[in-house]
Amino acid sequence: QVQLVESGGGLVQAGGSLTLSCAASTFTYNTYDIGWFRQGPGKEREGISCSPSGDRPTYYAGALKGRFTVSRESAKTTLYLRINDLRPEDTATYHCAAGDCATEIYKFWGQGTPVTVSP
């Protein structure tokens, strides 16, 4: 069974930074590509990045490239999303999901972790 658990969200002041975590099994990381997404209040879900299985580089959505950085824990059971220079418009629930970067089909989703950025 594939399970993904996000954590690390919270209330942050604008200009600050935050690191979100996506914990899953080694099987999950070796089998599926892992995407990060967010959905703000009243907004559609937005893709942030996709990290292919194995050690291939992460792809970033063009509009978000620069402030968002994905890294992997060495044991490959946790994927991190670092967000710098947080802005109020980054307020959203952030999800990770397991699937395929190329087809953008994600079969398994975590419950999400909420991030609120105050002005």
Side-chain angles (χ1 to χ4, degrees), residues 24-104:
S25 68
T26 302
F27 167 81
T28 298
Y29 284 119
N30 288 338
T31 305
Y32 298 97
D33 302 338
I34 304 297
W36 277 103
F37 299 84
R38 68 181 183 181
Q39 187 163 17
K43 298 181 181 179
E44 292 189 354
R45 188 171 65 205
E46 179 181 24
I48 299 169
S49 65
C50 190
S51 300
S53 59
D55 292 326
R56 290 172 288 167
T58 293
Y59 303 101
Y60 294 92
L64 301 176
K65 200 171 184 178
R67 295 192 298 118
F68 294 76
T69 304
V70 173
S71 60
R72 295 179 191 264
E73 181 245 354
S74 60
K76 297 183 180 180
T77 60
T78 304
L79 200 69
Y80 301 101
L81 177 68
R82 174 79 172 176
I83 313 171
N84 293 322
D85 187 26
L86 280 156
R87 305 165 184 174
E89 54 264 38
D90 293 322
T91 295
T93 298
Y94 287 73
H95 297 266
C96 59
D100 182 79
C101 295
T103 62
E104 300 183 355

Side-chain angles (χ1 to χ4, degrees), residues 46 58 107-108 117:
E46 179 181 24
T58 293
K107 296 182 179 180
F108 306 99
V117 183

